[in-house]
Amino acid sequence: DSGVTQTPKHLITATGQRVTLRCSPRSGDLSVYWYQQSLDQGLQFLIQYYNGEERAKGNILERFSAQQFPDLHSELNLSSLELGDSALYFCASSGYSQSNYGYTFGSGTRLTVV
Amino acid sequence: QQQVKQSPQSLIVQKGGISIINCAYENTAFDYFPWYQQFPGKGPALLIAIRPDVSEKKEGRFTISFNKSAKQFSLHIMDSQPGDSATYFCAARSNYGGSQGNLIFGKGTKLSVKP
């Protein structure tokens, strides 16, 4: 268990629908990052939040949005879903510590759009 | 734009062989270089990392070699095992401006170790 919790693990939905993916960061981490990974592809950075505020934006579609709540959990909202949105969506969190300046990833949400 | 270039895209190694994955970066505004290992259907997990004031770091069969002047770093997996078959991502942590603390990832290397 990495300490980053993502729900649900699997999601199957139809085109045109809207879904919400949830992420609880590791305890004490203020930053949350969202990534999309299509089949056999790399990690596409979507968006970062730090302590409730949007910090950086990557290749995130206008149909997608995210937010981070006061308890630091984050949600990624995907709307008007298309077949091409089928992918693994990862959340990662980070904090500042002597031993690790990297990210801790969750186990992902596998989204299938049919 | 900050970039980290990773090669090769895929790698096939025989059991017991050495796997080598290379990464190069384009500017000096990085202060931490982690490698992540990802098994199919799982999230990437931190494998090993190095800071730029060190030229080599070894943890078991995994070694990072770092060449600051060449802006290159590599992952060596000694005595590669079938269980090492996974996708490996190198990354570099930005240490300036609005992107401070953010990781820039390479595109990944899919390693297959044949028995």
PDB file of all heavy atoms in Angstrom, chain A residues 30-50:
ATOM      1  N   LEU A  30       0.893  17.671   0.444  1.00  0.00           N
ATOM      2  CA  LEU A  30       0.020  18.771   0.045  1.00  0.00           C
ATOM      3  C   LEU A  30      -0.247  18.818  -1.457  1.00  0.00           C
ATOM      4  O   LEU A  30      -1.212  19.433  -1.901  1.00  0.00           O
ATOM      5  CB  LEU A  30       0.634  20.106   0.483  1.00  0.00           C
ATOM      6  CG  LEU A  30       0.847  20.293   1.990  1.00  0.00           C
ATOM      7  CD1 LEU A  30       1.470  21.653   2.262  1.00  0.00           C
ATOM      8  CD2 LEU A  30      -0.462  20.154   2.743  1.00  0.00           C
ATOM      9  N   SER A  31       0.647  18.206  -2.233  1.00  0.00           N
ATOM     10  CA  SER A  31       0.505  18.239  -3.691  1.00  0.00           C
ATOM     11  C   SER A  31      -0.145  16.971  -4.203  1.00  0.00           C
ATOM     12  O   SER A  31       0.174  15.867  -3.767  1.00  0.00           O
ATOM     13  CB  SER A  31       1.878  18.382  -4.354  1.00  0.00           C
ATOM     14  OG  SER A  31       2.314  19.704  -4.339  1.00  0.00           O
ATOM     15  N   VAL A  32      -1.040  17.158  -5.169  1.00  0.00           N
ATOM     16  CA  VAL A  32      -1.666  16.043  -5.857  1.00  0.00           C
ATOM     17  C   VAL A  32      -1.505  16.261  -7.357  1.00  0.00           C
ATOM     18  O   VAL A  32      -1.692  17.381  -7.859  1.00  0.00           O
ATOM     19  CB  VAL A  32      -3.169  15.951  -5.506  1.00  0.00           C
ATOM     20  CG1 VAL A  32      -3.859  14.956  -6.418  1.00  0.00           C
ATOM     21  CG2 VAL A  32      -3.354  15.529  -4.055  1.00  0.00           C
ATOM     22  N   TYR A  33      -1.144  15.201  -8.039  1.00  0.00           N
ATOM     23  CA  TYR A  33      -0.933  15.243  -9.485  1.00  0.00           C
ATOM     24  C   TYR A  33      -1.836  14.189 -10.131  1.00  0.00           C
ATOM     25  O   TYR A  33      -1.988  13.097  -9.606  1.00  0.00           O
ATOM     26  CB  TYR A  33       0.521  14.913  -9.844  1.00  0.00           C
ATOM     27  CG  TYR A  33       1.554  15.713  -9.100  1.00  0.00           C
ATOM     28  CD1 TYR A  33       1.937  15.362  -7.812  1.00  0.00           C
ATOM     29  CD2 TYR A  33       2.177  16.810  -9.691  1.00  0.00           C
ATOM     30  CE1 TYR A  33       2.894  16.091  -7.119  1.00  0.00           C
ATOM     31  CE2 TYR A  33       3.143  17.534  -9.004  1.00  0.00           C
ATOM     32  CZ  TYR A  33       3.489  17.166  -7.723  1.00  0.00           C
ATOM     33  OH  TYR A  33       4.442  17.895  -7.049  1.00  0.00           O
ATOM     34  N   TRP A  34      -2.361  14.520 -11.281  1.00  0.00           N
ATOM     35  CA  TRP A  34      -3.148  13.567 -12.052  1.00  0.00           C
ATOM     36  C   TRP A  34      -2.447  13.270 -13.372  1.00  0.00           C
ATOM     37  O   TRP A  34      -1.977  14.187 -14.060  1.00  0.00           O
ATOM     38  CB  TRP A  34      -4.547  14.107 -12.337  1.00  0.00           C
ATOM     39  CG  TRP A  34      -5.454  14.101 -11.155  1.00  0.00           C
ATOM     40  CD1 TRP A  34      -5.727  15.148 -10.318  1.00  0.00           C
ATOM     41  CD2 TRP A  34      -6.224  12.993 -10.672  1.00  0.00           C
ATOM     42  NE1 TRP A  34      -6.623  14.754  -9.350  1.00  0.00           N
ATOM     43  CE2 TRP A  34      -6.943  13.442  -9.537  1.00  0.00           C
ATOM     44  CE3 TRP A  34      -6.392  11.670 -11.087  1.00  0.00           C
ATOM     45  CZ2 TRP A  34      -7.810  12.602  -8.817  1.00  0.00           C
ATOM     46  CZ3 TRP A  34      -7.240  10.848 -10.367  1.00  0.00           C
ATOM     47  CH2 TRP A  34      -7.935  11.313  -9.258  1.00  0.00           C
ATOM     48  N   TYR A  35      -2.415  11.961 -13.709  1.00  0.00           N
ATOM     49  CA  TYR A  35      -1.798  11.508 -14.939  1.00  0.00           C
ATOM     50  C   TYR A  35      -2.765  10.583 -15.675  1.00  0.00           C
ATOM     51  O   TYR A  35      -3.538   9.845 -15.060  1.00  0.00           O
ATOM     52  CB  TYR A  35      -0.512  10.727 -14.673  1.00  0.00           C
ATOM     53  CG  TYR A  35       0.651  11.587 -14.273  1.00  0.00           C
ATOM     54  CD1 TYR A  35       0.827  11.984 -12.954  1.00  0.00           C
ATOM     55  CD2 TYR A  35       1.590  12.008 -15.220  1.00  0.00           C
ATOM     56  CE1 TYR A  35       1.899  12.788 -12.596  1.00  0.00           C
ATOM     57  CE2 TYR A  35       2.668  12.800 -14.865  1.00  0.00           C
ATOM     58  CZ  TYR A  35       2.813  13.191 -13.546  1.00  0.00           C
ATOM     59  OH  TYR A  35       3.871  13.978 -13.193  1.00  0.00           O
ATOM     60  N   GLN A  36      -2.660  10.603 -16.994  1.00  0.00           N
ATOM     61  CA  GLN A  36      -3.398   9.677 -17.845  1.00  0.00           C
ATOM     62  C   GLN A  36      -2.381   8.772 -18.538  1.00  0.00           C
ATOM     63  O   GLN A  36      -1.355   9.238 -19.036  1.00  0.00           O
ATOM     64  CB  GLN A  36      -4.198  10.442 -18.896  1.00  0.00           C
ATOM     65  CG  GLN A  36      -5.001   9.559 -19.849  1.00  0.00           C
ATOM     66  CD  GLN A  36      -5.519  10.339 -21.042  1.00  0.00           C
ATOM     67  OE1 GLN A  36      -4.743  10.951 -21.779  1.00  0.00           O
ATOM     68  NE2 GLN A  36      -6.824  10.332 -21.247  1.00  0.00           N
ATOM     69  N   GLN A  37      -2.687   7.479 -18.558  1.00  0.00           N
ATOM     70  CA  GLN A  37      -1.809   6.532 -19.249  1.00  0.00           C
ATOM     71  C   GLN A  37      -2.655   5.631 -20.139  1.00  0.00           C
ATOM     72  O   GLN A  37      -3.378   4.776 -19.650  1.00  0.00           O
ATOM     73  CB  GLN A  37      -1.002   5.701 -18.253  1.00  0.00           C
ATOM     74  CG  GLN A  37       0.037   4.814 -18.923  1.00  0.00           C
ATOM     75  CD  GLN A  37       0.890   4.061 -17.915  1.00  0.00           C
ATOM     76  OE1 GLN A  37       0.392   3.546 -16.921  1.00  0.00           O
ATOM     77  NE2 GLN A  37       2.191   4.008 -18.169  1.00  0.00           N
ATOM     78  N   SER A  38      -2.546   5.838 -21.445  1.00  0.00           N
ATOM     79  CA  SER A  38      -3.240   4.984 -22.393  1.00  0.00           C
ATOM     80  C   SER A  38      -2.423   3.713 -22.597  1.00  0.00           C
ATOM     81  O   SER A  38      -1.268   3.639 -22.185  1.00  0.00           O
ATOM     82  CB  SER A  38      -3.457   5.721 -23.715  1.00  0.00           C
ATOM     83  OG  SER A  38      -4.208   6.897 -23.489  1.00  0.00           O
ATOM     84  N   LEU A  39      -3.007   2.730 -23.269  1.00  0.00           N
ATOM     85  CA  LEU A  39      -2.390   1.416 -23.397  1.00  0.00           C
ATOM     86  C   LEU A  39      -0.970   1.534 -23.924  1.00  0.00           C
ATOM     87  O   LEU A  39      -0.722   2.099 -24.988  1.00  0.00           O
ATOM     88  CB  LEU A  39      -3.240   0.545 -24.325  1.00  0.00           C
ATOM     89  CG  LEU A  39      -2.819  -0.912 -24.424  1.00  0.00           C
ATOM     90  CD1 LEU A  39      -2.983  -1.604 -23.078  1.00  0.00           C
ATOM     91  CD2 LEU A  39      -3.629  -1.632 -25.493  1.00  0.00           C
ATOM     92  N   ASP A  40      -0.023   0.969 -23.171  1.00  0.00           N
ATOM     93  CA  ASP A  40       1.392   0.931 -23.558  1.00  0.00           C
ATOM     94  C   ASP A  40       1.970   2.312 -23.857  1.00  0.00           C
ATOM     95  O   ASP A  40       2.896   2.448 -24.638  1.00  0.00           O
ATOM     96  CB  ASP A  40       1.592   0.022 -24.785  1.00  0.00           C
ATOM     97  CG  ASP A  40       1.456  -1.440 -24.416  1.00  0.00           C
ATOM     98  OD1 ASP A  40       1.620  -1.756 -23.216  1.00  0.00           O
ATOM     99  OD2 ASP A  40       1.181  -2.258 -25.297  1.00  0.00           O
ATOM    100  N   GLN A  41       1.397   3.332 -23.237  1.00  0.00           N
ATOM    101  CA  GLN A  41       1.910   4.678 -23.435  1.00  0.00           C
ATOM    102  C   GLN A  41       2.567   5.182 -22.154  1.00  0.00           C
ATOM    103  O   GLN A  41       2.489   4.558 -21.100  1.00  0.00           O
ATOM    104  CB  GLN A  41       0.769   5.621 -23.846  1.00  0.00           C
ATOM    105  CG  GLN A  41       0.126   5.271 -25.164  1.00  0.00           C
ATOM    106  CD  GLN A  41       1.087   5.380 -26.323  1.00  0.00           C
ATOM    107  OE1 GLN A  41       1.733   6.425 -26.513  1.00  0.00           O
ATOM    108  NE2 GLN A  41       1.222   4.318 -27.091  1.00  0.00           N
ATOM    109  N   GLY A  42       3.186   6.324 -22.282  1.00  0.00           N
ATOM    110  CA  GLY A  42       3.834   6.941 -21.130  1.00  0.00           C
ATOM    111  C   GLY A  42       2.829   7.651 -20.240  1.00  0.00           C
ATOM    112  O   GLY A  42       1.615   7.528 -20.414  1.00  0.00           O
ATOM    113  N   LEU A  43       3.352   8.387 -19.294  1.00  0.00           N
ATOM    114  CA  LEU A  43       2.532   9.113 -18.333  1.00  0.00           C
ATOM    115  C   LEU A  43       2.279  10.522 -18.857  1.00  0.00           C
ATOM    116  O   LEU A  43       3.209  11.310 -18.989  1.00  0.00           O
ATOM    117  CB  LEU A  43       3.242   9.173 -16.987  1.00  0.00           C
ATOM    118  CG  LEU A  43       3.508   7.832 -16.314  1.00  0.00           C
ATOM    119  CD1 LEU A  43       4.535   7.980 -15.208  1.00  0.00           C
ATOM    120  CD2 LEU A  43       2.205   7.273 -15.746  1.00  0.00           C
ATOM    121  N   GLN A  44       1.025  10.819 -19.146  1.00  0.00           N
ATOM    122  CA  GLN A  44       0.661  12.149 -19.622  1.00  0.00           C
ATOM    123  C   GLN A  44       0.180  12.979 -18.436  1.00  0.00           C
ATOM    124  O   GLN A  44      -0.840  12.677 -17.831  1.00  0.00           O
ATOM    125  CB  GLN A  44      -0.436  12.051 -20.679  1.00  0.00           C
ATOM    126  CG  GLN A  44      -0.031  11.322 -21.941  1.00  0.00           C
ATOM    127  CD  GLN A  44       1.075  12.015 -22.684  1.00  0.00           C
ATOM    128  OE1 GLN A  44       1.088  13.245 -22.824  1.00  0.00           O
ATOM    129  NE2 GLN A  44       2.038  11.255 -23.168  1.00  0.00           N
ATOM    130  N   PHE A  45       0.911  14.024 -18.124  1.00  0.00           N
ATOM    131  CA  PHE A  45       0.562  14.882 -16.998  1.00  0.00           C
ATOM    132  C   PHE A  45      -0.684  15.695 -17.322  1.00  0.00           C
ATOM    133  O   PHE A  45      -0.773  16.324 -18.383  1.00  0.00           O
ATOM    134  CB  PHE A  45       1.740  15.813 -16.683  1.00  0.00           C
ATOM    135  CG  PHE A  45       1.423  16.893 -15.691  1.00  0.00           C
ATOM    136  CD1 PHE A  45       1.061  16.584 -14.395  1.00  0.00           C
ATOM    137  CD2 PHE A  45       1.500  18.221 -16.064  1.00  0.00           C
ATOM    138  CE1 PHE A  45       0.766  17.581 -13.481  1.00  0.00           C
ATOM    139  CE2 PHE A  45       1.219  19.236 -15.164  1.00  0.00           C
ATOM    140  CZ  PHE A  45       0.848  18.911 -13.876  1.00  0.00           C
ATOM    141  N   LEU A  46      -1.647  15.671 -16.427  1.00  0.00           N
ATOM    142  CA  LEU A  46      -2.879  16.409 -16.637  1.00  0.00           C
ATOM    143  C   LEU A  46      -2.894  17.713 -15.831  1.00  0.00           C
ATOM    144  O   LEU A  46      -3.032  18.797 -16.395  1.00  0.00           O
ATOM    145  CB  LEU A  46      -4.086  15.548 -16.247  1.00  0.00           C
ATOM    146  CG  LEU A  46      -4.305  14.290 -17.082  1.00  0.00           C
ATOM    147  CD1 LEU A  46      -5.500  13.507 -16.555  1.00  0.00           C
ATOM    148  CD2 LEU A  46      -4.475  14.625 -18.548  1.00  0.00           C
ATOM    149  N   ILE A  47      -2.767  17.594 -14.511  1.00  0.00           N
ATOM    150  CA  ILE A  47      -2.920  18.778 -13.681  1.00  0.00           C
ATOM    151  C   ILE A  47      -2.352  18.523 -12.294  1.00  0.00           C
ATOM    152  O   ILE A  47      -2.268  17.379 -11.850  1.00  0.00           O
ATOM    153  CB  ILE A  47      -4.417  19.180 -13.602  1.00  0.00           C
ATOM    154  CG1 ILE A  47      -4.599  20.617 -13.110  1.00  0.00           C
ATOM    155  CG2 ILE A  47      -5.211  18.182 -12.777  1.00  0.00           C
ATOM    156  CD1 ILE A  47      -5.994  21.176 -13.362  1.00  0.00           C
ATOM    157  N   GLN A  48      -1.929  19.602 -11.636  1.00  0.00           N
ATOM    158  CA  GLN A  48      -1.403  19.531 -10.277  1.00  0.00           C
ATOM    159  C   GLN A  48      -2.155  20.509  -9.381  1.00  0.00           C
ATOM    160  O   GLN A  48      -2.445  21.645  -9.780  1.00  0.00           O
ATOM    161  CB  GLN A  48       0.078  19.887 -10.243  1.00  0.00           C
ATOM    162  CG  GLN A  48       0.658  19.892  -8.826  1.00  0.00           C
ATOM    163  CD  GLN A  48       1.905  20.755  -8.687  1.00  0.00           C
ATOM    164  OE1 GLN A  48       2.371  21.350  -9.653  1.00  0.00           O
ATOM    165  NE2 GLN A  48       2.458  20.804  -7.491  1.00  0.00           N
ATOM    166  N   TYR A  49      -2.413  20.066  -8.168  1.00  0.00           N
ATOM    167  CA  TYR A  49      -2.950  20.946  -7.130  1.00  0.00           C
ATOM    168  C   TYR A  49      -2.010  20.941  -5.936  1.00  0.00           C
ATOM    169  O   TYR A  49      -1.394  19.917  -5.616  1.00  0.00           O
ATOM    170  CB  TYR A  49      -4.341  20.490  -6.686  1.00  0.00           C
ATOM    171  CG  TYR A  49      -5.417  20.988  -7.612  1.00  0.00           C
ATOM    172  CD1 TYR A  49      -5.699  20.319  -8.797  1.00  0.00           C
ATOM    173  CD2 TYR A  49      -6.119  22.153  -7.329  1.00  0.00           C
ATOM    174  CE1 TYR A  49      -6.654  20.793  -9.666  1.00  0.00           C
ATOM    175  CE2 TYR A  49      -7.090  22.635  -8.193  1.00  0.00           C
ATOM    176  CZ  TYR A  49      -7.346  21.944  -9.369  1.00  0.00           C
ATOM    177  OH  TYR A  49      -8.298  22.427 -10.232  1.00  0.00           O
ATOM    178  N   TYR A  50      -1.892  22.109  -5.326  1.00  0.00           N
ATOM    179  CA  TYR A  50      -1.078  22.230  -4.117  1.00  0.00           C
ATOM    180  C   TYR A  50      -1.928  22.924  -3.057  1.00  0.00           C
ATOM    181  O   TYR A  50      -2.315  24.088  -3.235  1.00  0.00           O
ATOM    182  CB  TYR A  50       0.214  23.009  -4.391  1.00  0.00           C
ATOM    183  CG  TYR A  50       1.054  23.235  -3.159  1.00  0.00           C
ATOM    184  CD1 TYR A  50       1.900  22.235  -2.688  1.00  0.00           C
ATOM    185  CD2 TYR A  50       0.981  24.430  -2.455  1.00  0.00           C
ATOM    186  CE1 TYR A  50       2.663  22.432  -1.547  1.00  0.00           C
ATOM    187  CE2 TYR A  50       1.733  24.633  -1.312  1.00  0.00           C
ATOM    188  CZ  TYR A  50       2.574  23.633  -0.862  1.00  0.00           C
ATOM    189  OH  TYR A  50       3.325  23.811   0.265  1.00  0.00           O
TER     190      TYR A  50
END
